[in-house]
Amino acid sequence: MENDRTPTDDGWFYAPAPPDTNTFTDLGTFNVDGEVFVVRRSDAEGTTLYDWVSGPNDGYGFNTFGGSGASSREQHVASIRDFLAGIDAATGFLRDP
């Protein structure tokens, strides 16, 4: 959607979010149970982002928050397996609880 700063009759307008200025450290590509995830960590917040690049829904994945230390490969694999365990095979999205 293009930026449209013309107010509507209700007084609101569309303005896209500013670009993400955070920097990230690439933690690599993880192949887990036949699925591929690209993993990166926010340098400012310590958030780890898992992009599910082999999944059926473009741009889908998950984040983990917190922790001051680096996670081990085993911890990343466990997080990915936990995420995959909650996926609905019919939709490729997390199941409703």
Side-chain angles (χ1 to χ4, degrees):
M1 175 181 266
E2 292 182 30
N3 186 357
D4 183 0
R5 293 198 178 266
T6 306
T8 66
D9 291 338
D10 296 329
W12 64 271
F13 61 89
Y14 170 77
D20 187 354
T21 58
N22 288 331
T23 58
F24 296 90
T25 299
D26 180 14
L27 300 179
T29 300
F30 287 73
N31 294 291
V32 178
D33 302 334
E35 299 296 340
V36 180
F37 289 79
V38 172
V39 181
R40 57 198 166 114
R41 183 172 175 92
S42 167
D43 295 331
E45 303 166 347
T47 302
T48 302
L49 295 86
Y50 296 83
D51 299 318
W52 188 14
V53 297
S54 64
N57 301 304
D58 190 37
Y60 200 61
F62 69 100
N63 302 339
T64 59
F65 303 96
S68 58
S71 296
S72 69
R73 177 163 185 79
E74 292 78 18
Q75 289 169 315
H76 289 299
V77 169
S79 293
I80 292 169
R81 284 195 172 127
D82 284 347
F83 169 78
L84 291 172
I87 293 295
D88 181 330
T91 66
F93 291 108
L94 286 172
R95 289 186 290 273
D96 288 329

